[in-house]
Amino acid sequence: MNSEELSDRYAPEEVESRIYKWWEERGFFNADDASIKPPYCIILPPPNVTGSLHLGHALDHSIQDCLIRWKRMSGFNALWLPGTDHAGIATQNVVEKELKKEKLTRQILGREKFLERVWAWKDQYGSRIIEQMKRLGDSCDWRRHVFTMDESVSRSVRKVFVTLYQNKKIYQGERLINWCPRCETALSDLEVEHRDSKGSLWHIAYPIIGTMDTLIVATTRPETMLGDAAICVHPDDVRYKDLIGKIVQLPLTDRQIPIIADKYVDQEFGSGALKITPAHDFNDYKIGQTHKLAIINILTPQGTLNDLVPEKFRKLSVPEARKKIVEALKEQGFLKKEEGHNLSVGRCSRCESVVEPFLSKQWFVAIQDLAAGAKRVVENGTTSFVPENWTKTYLHWLGKIEDWCISRQLWWGHRIPAWSCAECKHVTVSMDDPSQCESCGNAEITQDEDVLDTWFSSALWPFSTLGWPDESEALKTFYPTDVLVTGHDIIFFWVARMIMMGLDFKKDVPFRTAYIHGLIRDSQGRKMSKSLGNSVDPVEAIEKYGADALRFTLLSSVASGRDLKFTVDKLEINRNFMNKIWNATRFSLTALKDFVPPKEELPSKSYLSVSDQWITYRLGEVEKEMDDSLSNFKFSEAAQSIYSFVWHDFCDWYLEFIKPIIYGPDNQDKKSTQLVLAHTLNRVMRLLHPFVPFITEAIYQKLPIRNDALIIDKYPTPANDRNWLALGSEKAAFEMELVKEVITAIRNIRGENRIKPGEKITAKINPSDAEAQKILGNNKSFIMNLARLSECEIGPISDRQKCAVTLVSRGEAKIEVVVPLIGLVDFDEEINRIKKNIEKIQKEIQSLNKKLGNEEYVRNAPGDVVEKDRELVMQNKSQLNSLQESLARLQ
RNA sequence: AGGAGUUUAGCUCAGUUGGUAGAGCGCCACCCUUACAAGGUGGAUGUCGGGGGUUCGAGCCCCUCAACUCCUACCA
């Protein structure tokens, strides 16, 4: 292969699918259950099986793939285990919407036929998201792909359910739960989203029996008054003290209810009297329990008023009923006041319908014991959050968690393995489908209609995917897993529950580290959503900019766990970076055309040019930075390190330094530089690979120094790469920095004086000491080339007439850079340049002197800090002198 | 109401234990220099949200105020 095959622009579409296929065919993604390598495991948070990839996934996956590739290259038996989730309520809703187009409902179809439709839907769309993940470069062990409704997972789910039931941690109870009247199912607390909305506070007069007085009650939900069981006041409320125990007439009905007292009531709010509707409000429910009030349910599962209300309100929806009841109260003189009031309304997170507190019989997980364990392991650091500030959020939530309602009145999901007996009503819960009641032996038993909350199976994911309840090799090797990567939006839904279940069933945490990243927002900080039209389709982004550009963009934006703003121009920037990598390679391969990798050991350092020793030294620094950053999940720092190394050290300076050598006459110099170039390029690809796998593998395959495949080559670190890095030299690095500064100084004079790049100029360079003299002498050709000089004198300067002057200093070395300007420019620009510099230096001297004039500073500050300032003053002063001299000569 | 977070250059963000403010993009000027115009070289840009305190010294530590964001809970 040679460079002619590389076009001058990187074309991702040409390499991505080819490279991915090759990796897959070679089995590079596969992990072994039995391996002498240390295990490293990440379980993929399973995306919804019928969903499609969005930017949130792309971020989540880029992080995980970066970690997995890094660890795989670092010698680990790295497993990234993929899966998909059946996403009960979400998927069911999607299919129901499809049915609606055909004027069908799931009820018309019946359970069996409906489930057939959902499976068909899953078969049609289930592979879409997998294909999209492959486009992104996800290096999952696809042989192990698991779906939450697979036989194996279903068995885990049932085992967990049965065990928890036997241990009395799962129970059935009739209580108030969140109910979505549209989905007609129970929801967990987490599935309810609270949103502020405008409402009213209605003041209603309840006539007090045996008096002519009324008691004013304020409510935001007048329609629920038909289910009132009492009026409650604060026991110390002087206004109402005497009324406690009296009876009021419930308007619009023939019912009478008592006035009770409870400290729960806030005397300041509304009228200080609260109507208690135990069946339709969580707080009222609690008060109802303590005061043993009747629970009067006035709603149907569809959210309409039922037969317990007066005839004329029956079958009305909640909003309709509210309107009618307010009207009726007004007509009959019970309504005393209506005022605006903001309140937050719970809505179904899947369909946005208003959620009703609803009394029904559901299955619950007793959470307190599980939560205590989940708290403990995070408190003692067995599992830690990165960044750690999520620890507080997590513990705070676990501190006040309530039992988890796990039954859903849906059809798509894991059906609850409970059968009730027609005869004795006993409930049989068992691993295998029973044929008779375990209590009375009656064969007439029917399975519970409900399915489990999707998150129930998700909670078992870290061990159910590895084969549990079998003690499989995979489970032994990979549990507990190493890192869980997910967004902060599902810490409660998922992270906490996995820890609970892992502890309960595997007696160990499911993962050592929970890496929590932020969510992706648009340029204005809003959530990305289809309805806002601000979402970016990652597949489109890949098609336009390449998967690597997308990955690098995401990885360099993810920092400190905060939400990140995403804009398309970042993709362009990183697309350009890919192109830079590509073109640097193109040049390098040309330079390496006649290069044959030597068989012998590495050369001795003394054969290498200063630039070669410098770039190798810098490479060592970058290897260390990458190792540090990746070990601490600092993806953006790692991305920045390598970006700046590749662009600003390797391309901007190193490749420019070596051009004369490569094109030059000295074969020996050329050979050693080619060796360094080839080795450096090889390491750059290895360092970059976890971030931008496609382009790096494609390039790697063309390199003169390489192994079989980049994806399984070694990730370079200062430790494993020490033989090569030993060729780097700090001294050479210092020398190069000095040379770079001199070059920059000349370029600055050129730029500020608007001397065109094509115009050759001469320069005189006056080093202050013999060491600097030697360094500059050795690197004269670099300086002449990169500063585009026709002549360059190094040594004492006698004539400074009409010259531009700049002083360069680094460490001990002080260098005067002088460019004669006669015949090149009029001197106005140079005079301005010098004046500007003088001003700057004067300011600095001033502030330093002020500091040093402060006795307290000199006394209290560490000696070296003060000494450094003193040196700076000296340096600045000599610069100032020299600048003032040249200014005088110009004027 | 409780909790968490943010506020640094026009934009997006870095700033480790307190020691004279950084990057990328954008902007300005000049350049099609034989890897790359998706490029090169040079340049300008900040009372680090306001106020107060500790300190010789604060972007960083403490107090306070303000604005914004998210989470949890919710007063009917």
Side-chain angles (χ1 to χ4, degrees):
Chain A
M1 304 240 181
N2 60 45
S3 59
E4 268 85 27
E5 292 173 29
L6 300 183
S7 64
D8 66 350
R9 290 201 177 172
Y10 172 56
E13 65 277 11
E14 283 169 25
V15 307
E16 288 179 0
S17 62
R18 174 172 60 83
I19 295 278
Y20 195 91
K21 220 174 123 200
W22 181 70
W23 283 330
E24 227 183 337
E25 280 165 6
R26 292 287 305 271
F28 292 137
F29 302 161
N30 299 341
D32 292 329
D33 287 343
S35 163
I36 51 162
K37 294 180 186 174
Y40 182 86
C41 181
I42 296 177
I43 308 275
L44 175 84
N48 292 358
V49 68
T50 62
S52 61
L53 202 73
H54 56 69
L55 265 189
H57 295 121
L59 170 68
D60 200 51
H61 294 204
S62 296
I63 292 168
Q64 291 171 64
D65 197 47
C66 181
L67 286 170
I68 280 288
R69 285 178 188 268
W70 171 54
K71 286 292 179 178
R72 188 185 291 124
M73 289 177 76
S74 301
F76 285 82
N77 177 26
L79 170 61
W80 189 11
L81 200 158
T84 40
D85 195 287
H86 66 284
I89 195 166
T91 306
Q92 175 158 330
N93 280 353
V94 171
V95 176
E96 281 190 278
K97 256 185 209 159
E98 287 300 303
L99 288 180
K100 209 171 170 185
K101 286 181 195 162
E102 304 167 33
K103 301 229 172 359
L104 282 171
T105 65
R106 68 178 159 117
Q107 286 80 5
I108 295 172
L109 276 182
R111 186 166 192 144
E112 205 171 313
K113 282 269 186 299
F114 178 75
L115 286 178
E116 278 173 26
R117 286 289 295 252
V118 184
W119 277 104
W121 181 266
K122 184 245 167 197
D123 289 339
Q124 189 178 349
Y125 292 107
S127 60
R128 179 176 59 183
I129 196 156
I130 304 293
E131 292 312 312
Q132 292 175 326
M133 287 163 66
K134 292 182 178 183
R135 294 288 300 274
L136 196 64
D138 287 2
S139 61
C140 302
D141 187 346
W142 295 110
R143 302 169 307 166
R144 300 176 192 251
H145 177 272
V146 191
F147 175 50
T148 46
M149 301 268 283
D150 283 348
E151 222 309 303
S152 62
V153 177
S154 298
R155 207 156 53 91
S156 305
V157 168
R158 189 176 276 205
K159 172 86 178 173
V160 166
F161 187 96
V162 172
T163 310
L164 287 173
Y165 181 78
Q166 284 164 351
N167 296 338
K168 307 254 183 298
K169 284 181 184 161
I170 280 182
Y171 64 92
Q172 212 173 3
E174 182 154 14
R175 64 170 68 168
L176 214 52
I177 44 87
N178 299 294
W179 181 267
C180 174
R182 216 277 331 157
C183 304
E184 287 185 48
T185 179
L187 301 172
S188 71
D189 296 343
L190 285 173
E191 287 165 299
V192 180
E193 285 176 0
H194 296 272
R195 277 216 302 270
D196 284 344
S197 57
K198 281 198 173 121
S200 296
L201 192 59
W202 286 274
H203 295 250
I204 304 167
Y206 285 49
I208 303 164
I209 302 289
T211 73
M212 296 301 285
D213 291 335
T214 59
L215 179 55
I216 308 288
V217 172
T219 180
T220 54
R221 298 202 55 186
E223 72 283 3
T224 64
M225 68 171 290
L226 301 174
D228 283 358
I231 303 297
C232 191
V233 297
H234 196 279
D236 302 334
D237 194 325
V238 289
R239 293 171 294 179
Y240 304 127
K241 236 174 178 162
D242 297 341
L243 298 178
I244 298 165
K246 292 215 153 72
I247 307 289
V248 294
Q249 179 68 40
L250 190 57
L252 312 181
T253 72
D254 51 10
R255 284 200 296 122
Q256 297 181 346
I257 55 173
I259 299 171
I260 60 170
D262 195 294
K263 286 187 173 156
Y264 167 78
V265 176
D266 177 359
Q267 299 181 48
E268 305 296 315
F269 191 90
S271 63
L274 168 66
K275 68 189 215 39
I276 304 296
T277 321
H280 299 289
D281 182 280
F282 288 102
N283 293 309
D284 291 11
Y285 182 78
K286 274 183 206 144
I287 294 172
Q289 298 271 292
T290 42
H291 295 271
K292 301 200 167 52
L293 300 175
I295 299 169
I296 306 152
N297 176 27
I298 59 163
L299 289 178
T300 64
Q302 294 77 33
T304 58
L305 270 57
N306 66 17
D307 291 352
L308 286 182
V309 304
E311 185 103 37
K312 64 175 184 174
F313 300 124
R314 284 178 202 168
K315 296 201 168 59
L316 294 176
S317 70
V318 166
E320 287 165 351
R322 181 174 301 171
K323 212 171 131 198
K324 285 267 163 65
I325 284 169
V326 169
E327 272 169 23
L329 287 170
K330 204 184 278 177
E331 270 168 31
Q332 297 177 36
F334 292 114
L335 187 71
K336 295 301 174 194
K337 195 161 92 180
E338 178 182 342
E339 56 185 338
H341 182 70
N342 287 339
L343 71 166
S344 81
V345 177
R347 287 173 184 273
C348 173
S349 61
R350 285 296 160 188
C351 75
E352 304 204 335
S353 306
V354 173
V355 167
E356 289 291 339
F358 192 69
L359 188 70
S360 72
K361 196 174 183 187
Q362 303 288 346
W363 292 88
F364 295 89
V365 172
I367 216 76
Q368 292 311 326
D369 287 355
L370 292 167
K375 256 179 108 163
R376 201 179 51 244
V377 293
V378 169
E379 277 163 350
N380 68 22
T382 312
T383 289
S384 53
F385 281 87
V386 176
E388 65 183 354
N389 55 307
W390 292 111
T391 310
K392 239 182 182 173
T393 309
Y394 170 91
L395 292 174
H396 189 248
W397 181 73
L398 281 180
K400 45 190 211 174
I401 188 173
E402 304 237 5
D403 284 358
W404 173 19
C405 176
I406 50 168
S407 44
R408 297 289 178 274
Q409 288 63 54
L410 306 171
W411 289 347
W412 176 241
H414 297 103
R415 193 153 170 188
I416 289 175
W419 288 258
S420 56
C421 176
E423 195 64 37
C424 73
K425 304 295 174 204
H426 176 81
V427 174
T428 305
V429 169
S430 98
M431 267 312 278
D432 303 306
D433 291 9
S435 56
Q436 58 180 45
C437 172
E438 68 181 352
S439 174
C440 70
N442 191 312
E444 208 183 315
I445 53 172
T446 48
Q447 186 171 7
D448 197 299
E449 292 291 322
D450 295 351
V451 300
L452 289 165
D453 180 2
T454 303
W455 294 101
F456 189 87
S457 52
S458 306
L460 328 176
W461 203 234
F463 53 88
S464 65
T465 49
L466 289 167
W468 189 90
D470 296 339
E471 271 304 315
S472 67
E473 280 302 309
L475 195 62
K476 279 185 214 155
T477 304
F478 295 110
Y479 194 95
T481 70
D482 292 89
V483 185
L484 174 85
V485 176
T486 194
H488 60 69
D489 52 336
I490 53 175
I491 291 178
F492 306 142
F493 272 110
W494 197 41
V495 179
R497 286 164 179 170
M498 278 193 285
I499 295 177
M500 291 177 196
M501 292 302 182
L503 285 174
D504 209 39
F505 287 90
K506 283 294 299 167
K507 307 300 168 206
D508 201 348
V509 294
F511 35 79
R512 304 274 181 229
T513 303
Y515 177 78
I516 307 293
H517 60 250
L519 309 179
I520 296 194
R521 303 187 174 273
D522 70 3
S523 56
Q524 294 161 55
R526 300 175 305 179
K527 266 186 188 168
M528 285 205 174
S529 73
K530 274 181 194 152
S531 55
L532 275 173
N534 60 350
S535 54
V536 175
D537 178 0
V539 175
E540 276 176 29
I542 288 169
E543 276 161 9
K544 198 157 173 211
Y545 300 98
D548 292 326
L550 175 62
R551 290 171 61 118
F552 203 82
T553 299
L554 293 168
L555 287 168
S556 45
S557 312
V558 55
S560 65
R562 294 208 321 246
D563 288 356
L564 45 108
K565 289 180 188 166
F566 187 91
T567 50
V568 176
D569 54 320
K570 288 184 184 167
L571 284 174
E572 205 169 308
I573 290 159
N574 290 307
R575 186 267 322 260
N576 293 355
F577 180 44
M578 296 308 112
N579 199 45
K580 190 76 179 172
I581 295 169
W582 186 256
N583 275 299
T585 304
R586 220 154 59 89
F587 167 78
S588 301
L589 291 182
T590 313
L592 292 168
K593 212 181 261 175
D594 57 348
F595 171 71
V596 184
K599 294 221 162 45
E600 66 265 30
E601 293 287 298
L602 296 175
S604 116
K605 196 188 283 195
S606 55
Y607 287 112
L608 297 189
S609 74
V610 185
S611 52
D612 287 337
Q613 292 180 47
W614 162 73
I615 197 69
T616 309
Y617 178 78
R618 277 288 298 133
L619 177 71
E621 288 183 328
V622 172
E623 287 184 8
K624 177 160 190 336
E625 286 165 18
M626 296 301 278
D627 191 44
D628 288 349
S629 300
L630 285 172
S631 302
N632 292 299
F633 301 95
K634 310 250 181 184
F635 300 99
S636 61
E637 284 178 23
Q640 213 185 346
S641 293
I642 192 68
Y643 179 96
S644 139
F645 176 73
V646 169
W647 203 308
H648 299 304
D649 292 316
F650 185 73
C651 292
D652 286 351
W653 288 103
Y654 181 70
L655 292 184
E656 297 304 328
F657 280 141
I658 67 170
K659 274 177 185 172
I661 300 173
I662 294 293
Y663 299 134
D666 189 323
N667 218 28
Q668 207 46 52
D669 282 0
K670 184 176 168 182
K671 266 191 183 159
S672 59
T673 288
Q674 282 180 322
L675 183 71
V676 173
L677 175 61
H679 272 285
T680 307
L681 200 57
N682 166 288
R683 281 162 177 77
V684 165
M685 293 310 142
R686 286 194 270 151
L687 288 168
L688 274 167
H689 182 260
F691 297 82
V692 288
F694 292 110
I695 188 173
T696 50
E697 184 74 83
I699 288 171
Y700 183 89
Q701 293 303 325
K702 297 177 187 294
L703 296 184
I705 293 180
R706 64 174 173 96
N707 290 316
D708 179 27
L710 175 56
I711 185 174
I712 52 162
D713 201 346
K714 206 184 285 174
Y715 200 77
T717 64
N720 68 30
D721 202 21
R722 62 179 172 277
N723 289 342
W724 176 255
L725 294 179
L727 294 172
S729 131
E730 191 171 2
K731 189 167 161 287
F734 171 80
E735 293 181 13
M736 275 338 283
E737 293 305 330
L738 197 64
V739 169
K740 281 165 65 179
E741 288 212 32
V742 169
I743 293 167
T744 304
I746 299 169
R747 283 172 174 173
N748 173 282
I749 290 170
R750 190 193 275 277
E752 294 281 282
N753 284 295
R754 297 173 207 230
I755 301 168
K756 304 219 168 193
E759 199 150 358
K760 288 279 184 175
I761 56 175
T762 63
K764 299 172 185 179
I765 300 168
N766 179 22
S768 61
D769 60 273
E771 177 64 19
Q773 165 96 28
K774 203 176 126 201
I775 294 169
L776 294 169
N778 289 341
N779 294 290
K780 189 172 164 184
S781 60
F782 287 140
I783 297 169
M784 289 189 67
N785 266 306
L786 296 186
R788 309 189 132 254
L789 300 177
S790 58
E791 247 181 85
C792 179
E793 278 174 39
I794 298 173
I797 297 167
S798 49
D799 177 21
R800 291 189 183 78
Q801 279 307 318
K802 308 287 180 198
C803 283
V805 174
T806 297
L807 275 165
V808 171
S809 65
R810 196 170 184 95
E812 296 295 303
K814 288 171 192 52
I815 295 152
E816 199 181 356
V817 176
V818 177
V819 176
L821 296 175
I822 297 169
L824 288 170
V825 290
D826 58 40
F827 303 114
D828 292 354
E829 299 285 1
E830 180 59 15
I831 288 167
N832 280 339
R833 190 184 77 92
I834 292 178
K835 276 186 177 162
K836 210 164 63 185
N837 284 339
I838 287 177
E839 217 170 292
K840 211 164 158 190
I841 288 174
Q842 275 173 336
K843 261 188 199 156
E844 264 178 49
I845 293 174
Q846 217 172 14
S847 88
L848 282 168
N849 277 340
K850 193 175 160 197
K851 213 162 140 193
L852 288 164
N854 182 345
E855 281 174 35
E856 303 252 37
Y857 169 66
V858 178
R859 197 167 53 236
N860 290 317
D864 56 324
V865 173
V866 178
E867 198 44 44
K868 230 166 84 187
D869 282 347
R870 290 210 169 104
E871 269 175 42
L872 255 174
V873 174
M874 298 295 286
Q875 258 174 37
N876 281 328
K877 276 190 176 158
S878 82
Q879 286 213 12
L880 185 62
N881 276 339
S882 153
L883 285 170
Q884 279 166 339
E885 270 178 44
S886 22
L887 185 64
R889 280 189 212 100
L890 285 169
Q891 282 169 332

